[in-house]
Amino acid sequence: MKTPTFSAFLMALSLLFLSCSDGDDSLKTTGRLNVFLVDAPFPTDQIAEANVTIFKVDARLADSDSEQDMESTEAVDSQGGFITLMEGEIGPINLLELVNGVSEQLVGMEVPAGTYDLIRVYVRDPNIVMTGPEATRYGLKVPSGAQSGIKIFLDPPLQVVGGLTEELTLDFDVTQSFVPKGGSINNPDGITGFNFTPVIRAGITSTTGRLGGTVTTEGTGEPVAGATVSLYDLENTEVTSTMTGTDGGYIFPGIDPGIYSLEVSASGFETQTAQGVEVVLANKTTLDFTLVPVESDSGL
């Protein structure tokens, strides 16, 4: 497994304008594409590992006027304009390690300039390892649909500009992707296995914003590690979630601009919420939380 790299956070592939090149960029026929994988959180007190191996990533070039550039690119396959971005094997990747800004780079290559509207990620050998002395491992089947690639539609589409670099973050939602059978995460004794139902969310950095901050303890200022930070839209539907690191920090990359609410929960602390949190295009919103410890009933 490759060593996870730290990205400027977000559950993930991100396309970011990093620098301009010399000369007229409008004459450039290719741009650089970087793809990163991150993870939404999973209760790590019961689950030690959630592993996948990725063996291929491709993208669909939607531009109807880009056929000539595509035909000259060796990476283009015969499936309606799909360009192979990566083919080989990366993994096993423990998705539980890809939190709080840690990511795994999947792609870094020159691609034809143009509009991309669909990413496909091919996975094999998903498995779950439980905590505890026995460290039970459950091997999972990949659904038939996922064998032909997990489809992630890009809305709005990704624009790769000639001579520039773009980044796209893929947020692999472990909680929705690894579903317990015969029990639940809160009742692990009844678990007899897991179903693999892959759910991946894409965030394009050039059309999104970032949201992050720190979670600390009231009175002492000590960081709260392992707190769950959940992001909700105006309809109170959970968009994504993450966990704080050892420094109490959290970050969401690739969040669509808009108004959201946040909920922060951690064992031994009162849950906190924040309403009316605005995410601004191409900017980072910072929001810190101070959690109040729950008083123990030691006198009972």
Side-chain angles (χ1 to χ4, degrees), residues 276-300:
V277 180
E278 183 177 9
V279 175
V280 180
L281 176 66
N283 282 271
K284 178 183 177 182
T285 300
T286 300
L287 184 62
D288 299 329
F289 289 87
T290 302
L291 298 189
V292 179
V294 175
E295 294 184 5
S296 61
D297 295 328
S298 55
L300 299 180

Side-chain angles (χ1 to χ4, degrees), residues 37-282:
L37 185 70
V38 299
D39 163 47
F42 207 44
T44 54
D45 55 341
Q46 305 294 346
I47 307 298
E49 299 177 18
N51 298 307
V52 295
T53 296
I54 295 176
F55 63 92
K56 185 179 179 181
V57 178
D58 59 25
R60 183 170 68 187
L61 183 57
D63 300 69
S64 59
D65 58 350
S66 302
E67 294 182 359
Q68 183 174 356
D69 291 338
M70 291 169 56
E71 291 173 356
S72 64
T73 304
E74 294 181 359
V76 175
D77 66 22
S78 61
Q79 302 181 40
F82 278 92
I83 297 172
T84 299
L85 304 178
M86 182 279 285
E87 191 166 21
E89 186 169 293
I90 300 178
I93 302 171
N94 181 6
L95 297 170
L96 300 186
E97 296 178 350
L98 305 183
V99 295
N100 196 30
V102 180
S103 67
E104 179 82 20
Q105 184 165 0
L106 302 178
V107 175
M109 65 174 291
E110 294 288 321
V111 298
T115 301
Y116 294 81
D117 63 354
L118 175 64
I119 301 289
R120 295 189 304 200
V121 178
Y122 298 78
V123 303
R124 63 162 62 103
D125 302 328
N127 62 83
I128 285 283
V129 180
M130 305 292 288
T131 56
E134 296 183 0
T136 304
R137 181 183 296 268
Y138 295 103
L140 314 179
K141 293 182 179 180
V142 178
S144 57
Q147 291 176 354
S148 59
I150 303 168
K151 298 178 179 63
I152 305 105
F153 290 93
L154 305 180
D155 184 19
L158 169 68
Q159 303 290 338
V160 176
V161 178
L164 299 178
T165 297
E166 292 279 2
E167 292 187 351
L168 177 67
T169 299
L170 296 181
D171 186 356
F172 208 125
D173 193 324
V174 177
T175 302
Q176 296 187 55
S177 299
F178 295 85
V179 181
K181 296 189 297 183
S184 67
I185 295 303
N186 296 323
N187 181 27
D189 292 338
I191 293 177
T192 59
F194 287 81
N195 289 321
F196 183 57
T197 57
V199 175
I200 302 177
R201 172 183 169 273
I204 303 171
T205 303
S206 58
T207 61
T208 58
R210 298 195 301 157
L211 172 62
T214 58
V215 180
T216 56
T217 304
E218 184 182 60
T220 66
E222 292 293 321
V224 180
T228 298
V229 186
S230 300
L231 183 72
Y232 296 88
D233 62 19
L234 290 176
E235 298 179 352
N236 205 34
T237 300
E238 183 174 319
V239 177
T240 186
S241 56
T242 189
M243 299 180 75
T244 56
T246 56
D247 62 350
Y250 73 93
I251 190 164
F252 293 106
I255 302 299
D256 292 335
I259 305 298
Y260 298 88
S261 62
L262 281 174
E263 179 182 273
V264 181
S265 60
S267 178
F269 293 90
E270 297 179 4
T271 298
Q272 278 199 17
T273 60
Q275 306 290 334
V277 180
E278 183 177 9
V279 175
V280 180
L281 176 66

